[in-house]
């Protein structure tokens, strides 16, 4: 049997919609695989009741099919489904890495990203590799049609999860279909600043680089309490705040010494708007790892 720890991830980082992603050092899914004549799936842990065990509908099952690697797959969910923290990507990434090792297929990490993305696409209808790339490669990733860039960045982060539900479909429906040249110039500037900040491990630059005025404001309308939480986090020292993936989780960047205060102020901000939330300090972490 092989067990893989596959991390939660945060996609977009504001200015890198459908392009940027980071692996988080917590939480994570644990994916265990054993050879079997046909694929079966068992899901336990956080929000397990919302995850299909039918291999045709589960991202890990679709990955097993794509790799022609039938197995009994056990997924212990540490990443809550529909949180904006790449829950289905964690399971897909964990399954890709575990099954590749179980059947000694020796795919490159980039090939495993493409296979895990197929799993995501078939099971969730959306083929974005911006969560599976960091879930497999770790660090900060830039996904494009023609390749993936990866940097092992070290930047303090805080994740806050409000107790509201945002469907990914709704979150994609509100994304504007066009942009002005002014918005484009601003977004490119922010994305470049963020990338330089990741290469320098500089929380001030990364925080500034989260800023964008196209996708995040449209999605913020779906996350009750978002504006209050952002303001509270900035007052507590956050260098930048944005929506994690399609939401509702919120991601803040700050200096290491400010993490606890930013975490508690994010919760206070949501609570001031009548929304319960939990938060925790985290950091950019490793990709899927065989235990
Ligand atoms: N980039 C995607 C989005 C991530 O924000 O919709 C969630 O699949």
């Amino acid at each position: 049997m092989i067990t893989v720890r596959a991390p939660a991830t945060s996609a977009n980082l504001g200015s890198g919609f459908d392009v940027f992603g980071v692996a988080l050092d917590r939480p994570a899914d644990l994916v265990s695989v054993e050879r079997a004549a046909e694929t079966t799936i068992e899901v336990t842990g956080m929000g397990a009741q919302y995850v299909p065990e039918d291999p045709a509908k589960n991202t890990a099952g679709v990955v097993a099919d794509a790799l022609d690697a039938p197995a009994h797959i056990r997924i212990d969910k540490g990443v809550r489904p529909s949180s904006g923290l790449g829950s289905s990507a964690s399971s897909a990434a964990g399954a890709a890495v575990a099954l590749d090792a179980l059947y000694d297929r020796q795919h490159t990490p980039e090939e495993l990203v493409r296979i895990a993305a197929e799993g995501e696409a078939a099971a969730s209808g959306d083929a974005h590799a911006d969560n599976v790339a960091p879930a497999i490669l770790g660090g900060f990733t830039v996904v494009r049609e023609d390749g993936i860039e990866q940097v092992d960045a070290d930047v303090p982060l805080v994740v806050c999860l409000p107790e509201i539900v945002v469907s990914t479909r709704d979150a994609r429906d509100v994304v504007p279909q066009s942009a002005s040249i002014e918005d484009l110039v601003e977004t490119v500037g922010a994305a470049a600043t963020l990338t330089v900040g990741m290469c320098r491990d500089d929380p001030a630059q990364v925080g500034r680089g989260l800023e964008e005025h196209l996708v995040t404001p449209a999605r913020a309308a779906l996350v009750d309490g978002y504006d209050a939480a952002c303001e509270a986090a900035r007052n507590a020292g956050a260098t930048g705040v944005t929506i994690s993936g399609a939401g509702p989780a919120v991601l803040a960047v700050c200096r290491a010494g400010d993490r606890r205060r930013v975490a508690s102020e994010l919760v206070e901000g949501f609570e001031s708007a009548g929304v319960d939330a939990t938060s925790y300090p985290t950091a950019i972490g490793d990709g899927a790892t065989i235990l």
Side-chain angles (χ1 to χ4, degrees), residues 93 185 227 237 246 250 271 278:
V185 169
D227 291 337
V250 168
E271 284 178 350
T278 51

Side-chain angles (χ1 to χ4, degrees), residues 1-5 29-35 40-42 60 71-76 91 94-95 98-99 102 291:
M1 184 170 82
I2 287 178
T3 300
V4 167
R5 180 187 188 276
D29 283 1
L30 293 178
V31 181
S32 301
V33 295
E34 276 175 283
R35 285 189 189 232
T40 53
I41 299 184
E42 192 185 328
H72 178 56
I73 303 174
R74 245 175 275 145
I75 304 170
D76 184 10
S91 299
L99 292 167
L102 185 70
L291 298 180

Side-chain angles (χ1 to χ4, degrees), residues 12 17-18 125-128 130 166-177 215 218-219 222 245-246:
N12 301 334
F17 178 63
D18 280 354
D126 255 330
H128 308 293
D130 52 351
V166 175
S167 90
T168 304
R169 181 184 295 264
D170 289 348
R172 291 197 79 82
D173 280 351
V174 298
V175 174
Q177 292 306 300
V215 180
R219 287 182 161 183
L222 305 175

Side-chain angles (χ1 to χ4, degrees), residues 52-266:
E53 292 188 332
D54 175 351
K57 294 186 180 147
N58 183 297
T59 54
V62 177
V63 166
D65 192 43
L67 280 169
D68 192 19
H72 178 56
I73 303 174
R74 245 175 275 145
I75 304 170
D76 184 10
K77 296 294 303 171
V79 188
R80 198 190 88 179
S82 301
S83 57
L85 297 171
S87 179
S88 60
S90 296
S91 299
V97 171
L99 292 167
D100 182 72
L102 185 70
Y103 280 87
D104 194 25
R105 294 288 163 75
Q106 304 191 15
H107 287 289
T108 65
E110 285 74 16
E111 286 168 348
L112 291 178
V113 169
R114 296 293 166 205
I115 290 163
E118 264 182 55
E120 273 247 275
S124 69
D126 255 330
H128 308 293
D130 52 351
N131 285 110
V132 286
I136 288 179
L137 303 173
F140 165 63
T141 54
V142 178
V143 172
R144 295 167 38 131
E145 286 283 308
D146 59 352
I148 301 167
E149 308 297 333
Q150 191 272 357
V151 174
D152 281 329
D154 182 13
V155 176
L157 303 172
V158 175
V159 165
C160 182
L161 191 51
E163 290 195 11
I164 50 179
V165 175
V166 175
S167 90
T168 304
R169 181 184 295 264
D170 289 348
R172 291 197 79 82
D173 280 351
V174 298
V175 174
Q177 292 306 300
S178 60
S180 68
I181 191 70
E182 288 82 7
D183 281 333
L184 190 63
V185 169
E186 196 173 62
T187 305
V188 170
T193 302
L194 185 145
T195 305
V196 171
M198 288 290 186
C199 294
R200 293 180 178 163
D201 293 339
D202 181 338
Q205 279 179 317
V206 172
R208 273 209 313 282
L210 297 178
E211 274 293 306
E212 63 86 42
H213 299 106
L214 286 167
V215 180
T216 312
R219 287 182 161 183
L222 305 175
V223 183
D224 292 340
Y226 177 76
D227 291 337
C230 282
E231 195 184 335
R234 285 182 204 284
N235 289 340
T239 56
V241 189
T242 193
I243 296 173
S244 178
V250 168
L251 181 78
V253 177
C254 60
R255 291 187 174 75
D258 291 330
R259 273 193 295 200
R260 285 192 182 285
R261 214 156 73 84
V262 169
S264 66
E265 286 300 311
L266 278 167

